[in-house]
Amino acid sequence: MKKLFYIGCLGLLLFEAANVYFIMPMPGSQQMNSIDLAYFLFNWRWIFRTLFVLVLLTGLLNTQWKRKWTVAIPLLVVAAGIYILNFVMAADGMFKQPASIVLANQKENKVDTARLIVGVVDGTTAKAYPIRFLAYHHFVYDSINGKPLLITYCTVCRTGRVFDPSVNGKPEQFRLVGMDHFNAMIEDQTTHSWWRQATGKAIVGPLKGSQLEEVHSTQTSLAQWLELYPESLIMQEDPNSVSKYDTSLKYESGASKSKLTGTDSLSWKNKSWVVGISKAGEDTAIDWNELKKKRIMLTKVGRLPAFVVLGKDNKSFFAFEYNLSSTPQFSNDTIYVNNKKYKLNGVGIDTVGSLSTLNAYQEFWHSWREFHQ
């Protein structure tokens, strides 16, 4: 019977470890196609826990223990392991949501304008969400002109995405679960399906295959964003999370050498930067280093002619469709198409028209290759 006690302790501890291993960046865990196993373990966790506790109690209550420490030490180890694995190492325990979003206009803004932001525009309303804050929170809720927004970011993939957080026509709440193939996963409160941050698609659970509606967003420096949208509101730091925010510019500038979030300065390596472009299920990617040299690059998304421009700040980029009859030109942050001038964001300078924008993202090559190629 004594063996049952130790089997129960070991089994419970190994189960809790496995429950975390497959959804966190542990050695080897993110290279496996183990999402179905991870979801199974998580959904049946109370069955496994109950089973191992019953085995543990059977051995405990049916054994004559000569020394109390032989019982106390294993129980303390198991209790400590359960606490660490479920509270200290749990994704939603490590990365907290802000109680509310604080927005400020340009005059009241306290965010360094050298910082990168994910920007959203709806009509004449613009909002900017600093990556410095999103990197910790992973996602925040907001709205623009009454439309709900789920603004997300994953530093391990370098992916910024904005979605409408509605599922089956109803506003949904999410929690951070962990990651799969190095990309953040969130779980909806209603069906407990798991959704991939880089694509907004449910990858396991009752809603597997469902897709969140993406909201067009742009990554720029805050300085460039405010030049284009001077009336924009800017997300400010959450007072309860100040100590968690990155204080350096290493991640955003590419100077970080962290194994998970660092940048490879060479092209087409796992941690190299690319600009990925998507349109109607078609995808393409261009090398960031080449874009920095050329400032404008022509490409195709499927059969659709497209081009990408990079601003003088080496941070702000936009992608557009174009007509093959007129090759776009780019100089001094001004786009020239058919003898018309356009701002960096495609808004006409000497014309009332605007260029047709495309969804474009700065991303680590390993992420774009995994989810879009």
Side-chain angles (χ1 to χ4, degrees), residues 74-85:
L75 288 177
L76 287 173
V77 169
V78 170
I82 291 174
Y83 174 78
I84 292 170
L85 291 166

Side-chain angles (χ1 to χ4, degrees), residues 210-247:
S210 298
Q211 179 74 54
L212 294 176
E213 180 184 346
E214 185 171 0
V215 177
H216 182 77
S217 61
T218 306
Q219 180 181 304
T220 72
S221 67
L222 179 55
Q224 182 66 72
W225 183 259
L226 291 175
E227 184 176 329
L228 295 170
Y229 306 101
E231 301 302 317
S232 177
L233 294 176
I234 307 107
M235 177 184 172
Q236 304 296 292
E237 65 182 17
D238 172 37
N240 297 320
S241 305
V242 174
S243 64
K244 303 294 185 179
Y245 295 140
D246 176 32
T247 57

Side-chain angles (χ1 to χ4, degrees), residues 263-264 266-274 363-365:
T263 295
D264 194 322
L266 300 177
S267 299
W268 305 113
K269 303 297 182 181
N270 281 341
K271 288 296 183 179
S272 300
W273 295 358
V274 299
E363 197 154 333
F364 286 134
W365 172 233

